[in-house]
């Protein structure tokens, strides 16, 4: 009997449960990780919900064409960040209170439909936010040198172009997120199968490992067959035919479950079949980040030259807008760029970065989802922060205020004869 060893999130899974396998296999192995993820999820969900509602309400008040277009892309960014916040919130709560996976059912969570749904949600959110920020940067770079005054309202041509680009961003993001879980592409995106409760087929098994079992059982029919000639569907049918007392259905550890965190599999190596898909998306994201950086530097250079002749009120508005954009772009660059670099270094196997995936994906990239609404609507944040500070000051003053004794009231009594 062949002995297969697997290390998933620090656990050594062999053909039976062992001392390294805890009673509960979780995404957040420590409570402080769960608390951080929950706080990030709550903050991102709340801030982006408020920002989205405020943006929709304020959309009608925008008068110029440029303002309406910019506001539309800002709403897209906010929507993407909101999906990221919901992912963190739902995944942390589910992992803490509803994840019943143990040593035997360790892959029940990563093979579930909810895991795929959360992975799709997270991917769509991150890509919509990144692509929208890229187009918004290109629009700002184009408009910064325009001397024509902003048009009132929105022309029909602009509405058509805006509608097409918005639908394109959403469609491309959704397509990239959904393609890896399509059944017709299982032979490309599925890397392992798992057979829950089966004492012979233990852990997660790759195609060549299952092929070894099949060729042993069907020695006359499949001697020397290559794994590339058998589809996952054929393998599952052959495995099913090996057991008479019950139907053995292998569960797919799909694209989102392969990393153990229900996230897009950016960390790939040469032996992963779907590596080129992940690398293509990484290259696209890298191009977007570089475009955002280039447009920002160009806008800053042009704005520096033109700021000297601007009046004070216009300069103040421009400075406020530039501060908001700078905060958003800095967080985008400082989160995405190191992550992409580490992904490529991991692929080249210069370092073993698999253990970093959790840190980057759960705690590093979601920082955007918290900072973006603060940067876009910092005036609302400052207003709320001021009101909260004033309320807290009143409560503290009332709590520590000492009652001073009241002075006696003197009454002059006048006698009337």
């Amino acid at each position: 009997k062949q002995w297969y060893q697997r290390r998933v999130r620090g656990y050594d899974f062999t053909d039976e449960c062992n001392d390294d396998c805890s009673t509960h296999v979780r995404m957040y192995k420590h409570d402080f990780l769960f608390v951080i993820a929950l706080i990030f999820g709550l903050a991102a969900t709340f801030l982006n919900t408020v920002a989205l509602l405020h943006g929709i309400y304020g959309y009608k008040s925008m008068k110029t064409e440029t303002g309406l277009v910019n506001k539309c892309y800002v709403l897209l960014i906010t929507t993407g960040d909101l999906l990221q916040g919901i992912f963190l919130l739902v995944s942390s709560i589910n992992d803490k209170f509803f994840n019943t996976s143990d040593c035997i059912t360790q892959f029940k969570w990563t093979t579930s439909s909810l895991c795929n749904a959360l992975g799709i949600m997270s991917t769509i959110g991150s890509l919509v936010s990144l692509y929208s920020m890229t187009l918004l940067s290109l629009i700002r770079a184009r408009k910064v040198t325009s001397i024509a005054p902003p048009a009132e309202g929105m022309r029909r041509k602009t509405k058509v172009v805006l509608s097409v680009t918005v639908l394109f961003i959403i469609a491309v993001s959704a397509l990239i997120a959904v393609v890896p879980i399509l059944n017709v592409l299982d032979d490309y995106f599925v890397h392992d199968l798992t057979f829950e409760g089966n004492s012979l087929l233990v852990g997660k098994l790759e195609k060549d490992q299952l092929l070894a079992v099949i060729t042993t059982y069907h020695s006359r029919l499949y001697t020397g067959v290559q794994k590339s000639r058998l589809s996952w569907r054929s393998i599952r049918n052959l495995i099913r035919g090996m057991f008479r007392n019950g139907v053995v259905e292998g569960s797919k550890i799909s694209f989102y479950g392969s990393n153990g965190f229900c996230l897009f599999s950016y960390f790939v190596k040469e032996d992963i079949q779907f590596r080129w898909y992940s690398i293509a998306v990484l290259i696209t994201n890298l191009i977007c980040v570089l475009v955002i950086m280039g447009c920002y530097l160009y806008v800053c250079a042009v704005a520096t030259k033109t700021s000297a002749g601007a009046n004070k009120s216009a300069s103040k508005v421009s400075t406020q807008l530039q501060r908001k954009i700078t905060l958003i772009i800095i967080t985008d660059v400082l989160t995405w760029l190191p992550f992409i670099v580490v992904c490529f270094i991991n692929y080249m196997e210069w370092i073993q970065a698999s253990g970093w995936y959790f840190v980057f994906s759960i705690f590093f990239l979601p920082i955007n989802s918290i900072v973006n609404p603060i940067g876009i609507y910092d005036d609302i944040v400052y207003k709320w922060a001021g009101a909260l500070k004033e309320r807290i000051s009143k409560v503290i003053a009332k709590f520590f205020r000492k009652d001073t004794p009241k002075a006696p009231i003197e009454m002059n009594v006048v006698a009337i004869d």
Side-chain angles (χ1 to χ4, degrees):
K1 183 178 180 179
Q2 192 171 0
W3 183 280
Y4 299 116
Q5 288 189 343
R6 286 291 173 269
R7 285 195 174 273
V8 181
R9 300 193 298 278
Y11 300 116
D12 179 18
F13 298 117
T14 57
D15 63 345
E16 60 184 14
C17 294
N18 51 65
D19 294 337
D20 292 332
C21 186
S22 63
T23 55
H24 274 32
V25 180
R26 299 190 178 281
M27 292 172 58
Y28 308 96
K29 294 184 293 183
H30 304 287
D31 287 339
F32 79 92
L33 296 177
F34 159 74
V35 171
I36 294 174
L38 183 62
I39 292 174
F40 277 22
L42 287 171
T45 302
F46 174 74
L47 291 173
N48 284 286
T49 300
V50 173
L52 185 63
L53 294 175
H54 180 79
I56 294 173
Y57 178 78
Y59 190 81
K60 299 179 181 179
S61 63
M62 304 299 296
K63 302 299 182 182
T64 63
E65 184 178 76
T66 302
L68 290 168
V69 172
N70 290 343
K71 177 67 74 171
C72 184
Y73 286 113
V74 167
L75 290 176
L76 266 183
I77 295 172
T78 306
T79 303
D81 292 337
L82 176 60
L83 292 178
Q84 287 280 78
I86 295 175
F87 163 79
L88 274 179
L89 188 61
V90 174
S91 63
S92 59
I93 292 176
N94 179 80
D95 188 64
K96 180 66 176 179
F97 300 105
F98 301 102
N99 183 5
T100 58
S101 296
D102 54 22
C103 185
I104 298 176
T105 62
Q106 55 191 287
F107 300 110
K108 188 174 183 180
W109 162 240
T110 53
T111 58
S112 65
S113 299
L114 180 58
C115 179
N116 287 331
L118 289 176
I120 292 173
M121 179 190 299
S122 174
T123 303
I124 292 176
S126 61
L127 294 182
V128 164
S129 180
L130 182 62
Y131 295 164
S132 301
M133 190 65 208
T134 304
L135 279 179
L136 184 60
S137 299
L138 290 171
I139 293 173
R140 291 185 69 243
R142 181 175 177 271
K143 292 290 185 180
V144 72
T145 56
S146 177
I147 59 175
E152 292 290 333
M154 188 180 294
R155 293 170 295 178
R156 184 175 182 179
K157 179 181 177 180
T158 305
K159 290 181 180 179
V160 173
V161 173
L162 181 62
S163 300
V164 170
T165 53
V166 169
L167 291 176
F168 179 77
I169 289 174
I170 297 174
V172 170
S173 302
L175 185 64
I176 292 174
V178 172
V179 161
I181 66 167
L182 296 178
N183 292 331
V184 294
L185 298 176
D186 279 352
D187 290 326
Y188 184 73
F189 286 105
V190 175
H191 191 255
D192 308 277
L193 291 183
T194 179
F195 299 83
E196 181 181 338
N198 191 291
S199 58
L200 176 62
L201 305 172
V202 179
K204 60 177 185 177
L205 304 175
E206 301 175 4
K207 191 176 266 190
D208 56 349
Q209 295 169 330
L210 289 171
L211 187 59
V213 176
I214 292 172
T215 53
T216 301
Y217 186 81
H218 304 280
S219 56
R220 296 182 179 181
L221 297 177
Y222 293 96
T223 301
V225 68
Q226 297 179 355
K227 65 177 181 179
S228 58
R229 296 178 57 185
L230 283 180
S231 65
W232 278 117
R233 182 178 181 181
S234 299
I235 289 176
R236 296 174 80 176
N237 288 335
L238 290 170
I239 292 294
R240 188 185 301 115
M242 293 170 52
F243 299 90
R244 296 180 180 180
N245 297 330
V247 178
V248 177
E249 290 286 350
S251 299
K252 299 180 294 185
I253 299 182
S254 62
F255 182 80
Y256 293 105
S258 60
N259 52 54
F261 303 113
C262 304
L263 291 166
F264 194 95
S265 294
Y266 286 113
F267 276 29
V268 292
K269 291 187 178 181
E270 189 65 30
D271 60 338
I272 302 298
Q273 189 168 344
F274 53 75
R275 62 189 181 279
W276 295 117
Y277 187 80
S278 299
I279 291 174
V281 176
L282 271 176
I283 293 174
T284 304
N285 293 351
L286 177 61
I287 293 173
C288 289
V289 173
L290 294 177
V291 169
I292 292 172
M293 289 176 59
C295 291
Y296 173 73
L297 294 175
Y298 175 73
V299 170
C300 287
V302 174
T304 302
K305 294 179 180 179
T306 58
S307 60
N311 56 53
K312 292 183 178 181
S313 59
S315 179
K316 183 178 179 180
V317 174
S318 177
T319 302
Q320 292 176 348
L321 178 61
Q322 191 67 13
R323 186 182 69 245
K324 295 180 179 181
I325 298 297
T326 299
L327 179 62
I328 297 172
I329 290 177
I330 287 177
T331 55
D332 278 342
V333 173
L334 292 182
T335 53
W336 271 108
L337 194 57
F339 176 72
I340 294 172
V341 170
V342 171
C343 288
F344 280 114
I345 292 176
N346 180 75
Y347 174 73
M348 299 299 293
E349 297 188 7
W350 294 344
I351 59 172
Q352 178 63 30
S354 301
W356 301 2
Y357 194 80
F358 178 83
V359 177
F360 273 103
S361 300
I362 303 296
F363 302 113
F364 201 68
L365 290 179
I367 292 176
N368 276 338
S369 304
I370 299 174
V371 175
N372 284 349
I374 296 176
I376 295 172
Y377 297 106
D378 59 347
D379 51 342
I380 301 177
V381 175
Y382 293 149
K383 182 178 179 181
W384 284 10
L388 182 62
K389 181 181 178 181
E390 184 179 355
R391 179 67 62 87
I392 293 175
S393 299
K394 289 182 178 180
V395 171
I396 293 175
K398 184 177 180 181
F399 182 78
F400 288 101
R401 186 176 59 191
K402 295 181 179 180
D403 295 329
T404 55
K406 297 181 179 180
I409 300 176
E410 297 182 359
M411 299 182 62
N412 295 327
V413 179
V414 180
I416 300 175
D417 294 333

